[in-house]
Amino acid sequence: MPDQPIFDAHLHIIDPQHPLVPNRGFAPDPFPAETYQESVANLGVRAGAVVSGSFQAFDQGYLIDALKRLGPSYVGVTQLPSTVTDAELTGLRDKGVRAIRFNLFRGGSAKLEELEELARRAYDVAGWHTEFYVHSRDLPDLEDRLTALPKFSIDHLGMADDGFDTLLRLVEQGARVKATGFGRIAHDPAEAMRRINQANPHALMFGTDLPSTRADRPFRPIDIDLVVETLGEKDATRALWTNALEFYGVERPG
């Protein structure tokens, strides 16, 4: 697809000027904003979402700096404790943050029992949606909680076939799913994308997952080709560009 613009709906910035919190003994190598820009310079990426990882816990400094460096077409996805104030939520919104994340797979975020109250308050106060890093095998137990939320997405195609039927039910009801991390999932990404797209063509949002920390293999540009080959040109444009633009409320870059 020549000149296809891409919204990178899932990327991480790891700035050595800001502290990391090792997760299960793991702390990633630096991957500052400038290195990210070099990595995607030839891919058509024109906008994106910087996502807080488990190793960044509740630090907001790195995220605000990253958004300043990347520019107004990039937004932030952060992790926050349940003690966050409404004023802090609106302050982060004004700096470009658009979502709150619960990392149920690796931790580092607010606890599961805080999910509903915190997610709904973030939506009511700041207009944010909620993002989940969660294994699909855990979705059946979470289904009622998730369907009660106003707006949410699930990372990495759900990660596996186990529980995938629940993921598809959520998609049919409006959940978004990130087509990211093809090198860290246990199922076939093409088949997963095909089934999700059939359930709702507005659901998929592509992301590079750079720098692919702890993945069995890192992102490769051919992952973009797989999206196009699997979905066809029209639906691939949605997954690569327009679905995420709408979901994150980002104006089309000029």
Side-chain angles (χ1 to χ4, degrees):
M1 295 176 66
D3 302 320
Q4 168 64 60
I6 290 175
F7 188 113
D8 185 353
H10 198 95
L11 66 107
H12 301 286
I13 298 298
I14 303 156
D15 188 336
Q17 298 182 68
H18 294 272
L20 297 177
V21 179
N23 178 271
R24 304 175 191 175
F26 173 81
D29 293 331
F31 189 73
E34 292 75 14
T35 303
Y36 167 76
Q37 289 173 314
E38 292 169 3
S39 299
V40 299
N42 298 319
L43 300 180
V45 174
R46 296 175 58 191
V50 181
V51 177
S52 292
S54 60
F55 41 78
Q56 284 153 328
F58 300 132
D59 176 47
Q60 308 302 317
Y62 97 91
L63 182 56
I64 301 309
D65 283 355
L67 296 179
K68 287 179 181 177
R69 292 175 183 273
L70 293 170
S73 64
Y74 284 80
V75 295
V77 178
T78 194
Q79 297 171 158
L80 291 167
S82 60
T83 54
V84 65
T85 66
D86 290 357
E88 288 170 327
L89 287 171
T90 56
L92 289 168
R93 178 198 63 196
D94 294 344
K95 291 183 171 74
V97 179
R98 292 292 178 269
I100 186 168
R101 188 186 199 214
F102 289 83
N103 192 327
L104 305 180
F105 187 68
R106 296 197 188 277
S109 64
K111 297 181 177 63
L112 180 61
E113 55 266 27
E114 300 166 337
L115 188 161
E116 288 156 290
E117 189 278 334
L118 183 53
R120 186 162 293 280
R121 187 156 63 91
Y123 180 82
D124 291 342
V125 172
W128 290 356
H129 66 265
T130 307
E131 303 199 356
F132 294 97
Y133 186 6
V134 57
H135 197 289
S136 57
R137 65 178 171 234
D138 296 322
L139 290 177
D141 290 337
L142 295 170
E143 186 172 4
D144 290 344
R145 287 185 175 190
L146 297 185
T147 54
L149 298 180
K151 188 178 179 182
F152 67 95
S153 68
I154 294 172
D155 293 348
H156 307 318
L157 295 170
M159 299 185 68
D161 287 331
D162 190 8
F164 198 76
D165 288 344
T166 303
L167 176 65
L168 292 178
R169 283 198 301 273
L170 293 170
V171 166
E172 289 169 352
Q173 297 176 65
R176 304 298 182 99
V177 180
K178 293 191 179 184
T180 57
F182 296 173
R184 69 171 74 248
I185 63 178
H187 53 351
D188 177 10
E191 180 62 18
M193 285 191 291
R194 188 178 298 111
R195 294 179 68 191
I196 291 166
N197 191 66
Q198 287 174 346
N200 181 356
H202 300 286
L204 285 170
M205 303 183 296
F206 171 78
T208 63
D209 192 35
L210 283 168
S212 306
T213 58
R214 289 191 274 197
D216 289 341
R217 72 153 176 87
F219 162 78
R220 300 178 299 196
I222 60 171
D223 293 342
I224 299 172
D225 298 334
L226 181 63
V227 175
V228 179
E229 293 165 4
T230 301
L231 302 181
E233 185 170 336
K234 180 180 178 181
D235 285 349
T237 295
R238 290 192 181 106
L240 293 169
W241 182 239
T242 54
N243 285 349
L245 274 178
E246 182 274 328
F247 192 65
Y248 284 96
V250 175
E251 293 184 11
R252 291 174 182 262

